[in-house]
């Protein structure tokens, strides 16, 4: 197996992982809470970094490979292109849903912050010194 073929397999595996991850997020979207949404976003960011590194590795391998090997890999490149196209389409559908969800969270957080600021004006300021308790009734 050539370095280009190894790099192609690694790239394809990561894109498949991305597809599965996006499928899981889309499936759970109606019940995602803030913490899970943030964890999912962080997971996607980490996966994206791994994909970028793998694609750079693939590009380097392709640039140094022979024309004969590239001809043999035509089908692999076509499958990869198809997978990436599917992911891009899924991303176009999923991204607005996630943005809407995050906007809702931001709105809730702002309401909570405004409530906290408002309630600070109503805090009772008591004297910090102790008082005698009268138990003789």
């Amino acid at each position: 197996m050539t370095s280009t073929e190894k790099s192609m397999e690694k790239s394809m595996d990561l894109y498949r992982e991305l597809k599965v991850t996006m499928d899981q997020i889309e499936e759970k979207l109606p019940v995602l809470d803030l913490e899970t949404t943030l964890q999912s976003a962080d997971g996607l960011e980490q996966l994206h970094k791994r994909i970028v590194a793998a694609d750079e590795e693939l590009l380097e391998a392709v640039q140094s490979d022979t024309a004969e090997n590239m001809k043999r890999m035509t089908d692999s490149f076509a499958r990869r292109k198809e997978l990436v196209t599917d992911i891009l389409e899924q991303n176009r559908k999923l991204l607005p849903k996630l943005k809407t969800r995050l906007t809702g969270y931001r709105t809730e957080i702002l309401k909570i912050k405004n409530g906290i600021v408002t309630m600070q004006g109503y805090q009772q300021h008591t004297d910090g010194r102790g008082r005698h308790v009268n138990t003789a009734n």
Side-chain angles (χ1 to χ4, degrees), residues 6 10 12 20 24-25 38 40 44 51 65-66 68 71 77 85 87 101 107 109 111 121-124 131 135-136:
K6 289 177 186 175
K10 183 177 179 180
M12 291 283 287
V20 168
Q24 291 171 343
I25 290 171
L38 293 175
S40 297
L44 284 175
I51 288 171
D65 210 340
T66 64
E68 184 179 310
K71 285 181 185 177
F77 280 103
T85 302
I87 289 170
R101 176 62 55 100
T107 301
I109 289 170
K111 286 180 184 177
Y122 295 108
Q123 289 181 355
Q124 180 180 358
R131 295 187 181 172
T135 58

Side-chain angles (χ1 to χ4, degrees), residues 77-93:
F77 280 103
R79 284 194 310 274
R80 183 178 177 279
K81 180 184 175 197
E82 189 176 309
L83 179 59
V84 170
T85 302
D86 289 347
I87 289 170
L88 287 172
E89 183 60 34
Q90 183 178 16
N91 188 51
R92 273 184 233 144
K93 293 177 184 176

Side-chain angles (χ1 to χ4, degrees), residues 45-106:
E45 184 178 341
Q46 297 304 317
L47 184 54
H48 179 260
K49 288 177 183 177
R50 291 173 42 215
I51 288 171
V52 168
D55 284 351
E56 288 173 356
E57 182 182 308
L58 176 60
L59 181 60
E60 288 175 18
V62 165
Q63 289 173 341
S64 64
D65 210 340
T66 64
E68 184 179 310
N69 283 341
M70 291 295 96
K71 285 181 185 177
R72 265 197 351 235
M73 294 190 61
T74 303
D75 289 342
S76 295
F77 280 103
R79 284 194 310 274
R80 183 178 177 279
K81 180 184 175 197
E82 189 176 309
L83 179 59
V84 170
T85 302
D86 289 347
I87 289 170
L88 287 172
E89 183 60 34
Q90 183 178 16
N91 188 51
R92 273 184 233 144
K93 293 177 184 176
L94 183 58
L95 193 59
K97 294 175 186 176
L98 284 173
K99 283 184 178 182
T100 300
R101 176 62 55 100
L102 290 174
T103 300
Y105 290 143
R106 277 190 217 115

